[in-house]
Amino acid sequence: MSDRWYEKAVVYCLDIDTYADSDGDGVGDIRGLIGRLDYLSRLGVNCLWLNPIHPTPNRDDGYDVADFYNVDPRLGNLGDFAELLHQAGNRGIKVIIDLVVNHTSDQHEWFQSARSSPDSPYRDWYVWSDSEPSDRKQGMVFPGEQNETWSYDRTAKKWFYHRFYKFQPDLNIENPQVREEIKKICAFWLQLGVAGFRMDAVPFIIEKTEPGNANPPKDMEFLTELRQHVQWRKADAVLLAEANVEPDQLKHFFGDDGGSANRIHMLFDFMLNGRLMLALARKHPEVIIDALQDTPKLPPGAQWATFLRNHDEVDLSRLTTEQKTEVFEQFGPDEDMQLYGRGIRRRLAPMLGGDRRRIELAYALQFSLRGTPVIRYGEEIGMGDDLTQDGRNAIRTPMQWSSLPNGGFSTADTLVRPVVSDADYGYEKINVTLQRHDPQSLLSWFERMIRTLRECPEVGSGDCKNVDVPVPSGVLVHRADAETGTMVFVHNLGEDDGVIDLSSLEPEAEFPNDVLADQEYPGLELGKVAIAGYGYRWIRLKRRP
């Protein structure tokens, strides 16, 4: 069995400022998070992914970084962060942080210096044009909120490039000093004790941007450089990348043409995510089977990260127009539920109508597919969203801990964002404390499911493929094989009960048994595997010592 820790991880993503407030100022903080580490340990997660923690003007939820070497004072200080790493380590939890180096805030001292004078040592740290670029209004990441990617700076008397918002000028990756600075940033946080980085917007980081070229070449070799640097500084550090690119480009982010896994360790599987959403909307698994068959072969050590919801919108851009329409109709029919013409800004529980059966099914399916599962905070209790908030902030509301005012998140009168308080998903009804006292709650189920996954290393480090047997409509059967044994998974995305003949697997079976299921099924006969509507069964087919 591989000893790569990230292949056996369960990653939990959170914003510190909306998780737990320890000092009553209305903003979550590091000390508040430290006080909730035992909760996370009991849940079963062993890796925390923290959204941006750095000082920021906070015009883009912290993704407009003003200082890469410090902690946002609203959250605490470097001493608090070091204590978080220590206390998390005591509980066997690794911590990775967002590495946002495609751009900086326009308030960063580098940009302020760069725009101030042609002689500034930071002038070439950014991307400039003397004249208005012909591709000025192309390549916007946030259509409807952006109308250009080149803006004129009156102080510099030049146009500067910003793949994202105007207040986030892009760094110039072709400048050797910028490359070295990014490596230094990584080294700083690795030395402090982080286990790695979730790299934001990787395809844009490595763009060799030039005015007038809307599709510039990419400097893949920088990823090789960065991987080598990170690995030398901390041998087991991991790079988890956001790279929503065409399928034929994905392999280049993992490694070079020689087949070595010498670039990014893990990529979020956006192709699978879109198809999972389409399959849930259709109540049929055909597109998931296609996704498993279409998955490019990864070099040893490379890994997918699976997810249903993250901190952004549900991005459906890899689906066809017709497929996207299907998902919108089921999960985001109203215009205010949609974003950028490509995504849904809702949490999963309300998308599935609060149907506990479908919520369990969706997460049982995600956690059983090849790769490392990533879960967004609050999903484990079925939190809802607040569509009155702007854009993606709809799913960035405070964690709901109890029935106390503000959901137990804070004692302040004014919060960083309002806590959800509607009739269906408000904190009075949906919170950790209530579910802690209910052995049948969604939180209790998540704890059982994650513990079970940790006993099934085949999922993270093994081979995953469809089991090609006749099945009722809506049913997916897949298997995971590794040196530790074989697991078989049955998931019914449809409403109707069914029976599957898995007798073809009997020659491989050694005391097959359910390790997780939506209900107690009487006896397990591989020739007659019953499955309820929206049901699931994780079956241990055999175990090797």
Side-chain angles (χ1 to χ4, degrees), residues 351-423:
M351 285 170 62
L352 295 177
D355 189 331
R356 172 69 179 273
R357 299 172 304 160
R358 296 191 74 189
I359 295 170
E360 283 189 22
L361 168 69
Y363 279 105
L365 178 56
Q366 179 213 337
F367 275 59
S368 69
L369 292 170
R370 81 285 185 278
T372 298
V374 180
I375 180 175
R376 176 72 168 161
Y377 80 92
E379 292 293 297
E380 73 273 20
I381 59 172
M383 271 177 58
D385 41 54
D386 182 355
L387 296 177
T388 67
Q389 294 294 301
D390 292 335
R392 294 175 293 180
N393 287 342
I395 61 165
R396 298 172 178 176
T397 56
M399 182 66 177
Q400 296 166 201
W401 293 106
S402 71
S403 301
L404 290 171
N406 300 327
F409 161 72
S410 174
T411 58
D413 293 330
T414 303
L415 307 183
V416 60
R417 283 190 201 97
V419 67
V420 174
S421 58
D422 63 41

Side-chain angles (χ1 to χ4, degrees), residues 285-304:
E286 181 181 6
V287 289
I288 299 175
I289 297 171
D290 292 341
L292 295 178
Q293 293 173 342
D294 295 344
T295 299
K297 183 173 177 57
L298 302 185
Q303 180 82 335
W304 296 110

